[in-house]
Amino acid sequence: QVQLVESGGGLVQPGGSLRLSCAASGNIFSIYAMSWYRQAPGKQREYVASIISGRSTNYADSVKGRFTIFRDNAKKTVFLQMNSLKPEDTAVYYCNVEAQTFLVGRGDYWGQGTQVTVYS
């Protein structure tokens, strides 16, 4: 199966910046898309940003203009650059990869999550 390891979370003041990373490993034949989601306490997991193989990107309205998603295809790693952070950005951030493995068909895989806390 595909394994994802997120890193880069931490504590930051409002207006600060953080960069998250997510490295994929396992029996990967190809990666179609890589995305970031987040989940705040007591709330549903929500979409944040995504990037497809052709480097096309999409963002949730709440982060557009502040966050940037990019990837290193050779290292099978996706990044989320978060600028101008707000307290409402506080959440556990999860990496998602849509990939084709060598043994099974196309599917979605999730990381364990990394905590981002924005406080005054």
Side-chain angles (χ1 to χ4, degrees):
Q1 294 184 5
V2 175
Q3 292 184 321
L4 305 176
V5 179
E6 300 105 328
S7 63
L11 303 175
V12 65
Q13 294 183 349
S17 298
L18 285 174
R19 179 178 291 184
L20 307 183
S21 64
C22 172
S25 62
N27 300 318
I28 301 171
F29 176 74
S30 63
I31 295 175
Y32 300 103
M34 306 183 84
S35 303
W36 288 97
Y37 291 76
R38 66 187 182 187
Q39 188 168 20
K43 306 205 69 173
Q44 295 186 92
R45 187 172 298 184
E46 65 174 344
Y47 167 83
V48 176
S50 62
I51 184 166
I52 62 175
S53 297
R55 300 182 65 187
S56 178
T57 59
N58 286 288
Y59 299 91
D61 289 341
S62 59
V63 306
K64 188 170 294 184
R66 300 187 298 120
F67 292 10
T68 302
I69 187 170
F70 58 101
R71 61 194 286 182
D72 184 332
N73 290 334
K75 297 181 178 179
K76 298 182 178 66
T77 301
V78 63
F79 303 88
L80 184 68
Q81 178 66 45
M82 305 184 293
N83 298 326
S84 302
L85 283 162
K86 304 175 181 180
E88 50 263 46
D89 294 319
T90 295
V92 176
Y93 284 70
Y94 296 91
C95 177
N96 173 266
V97 172
E98 184 180 0
Q100 173 75 50
T101 70
F102 289 104
L103 299 178
V104 300
R106 186 170 175 169
D108 284 307
Y109 303 89
W110 293 91
Q112 296 293 323
T114 184
Q115 177 71 49
V116 171
T117 302
V118 185
Y119 66 96
S120 301

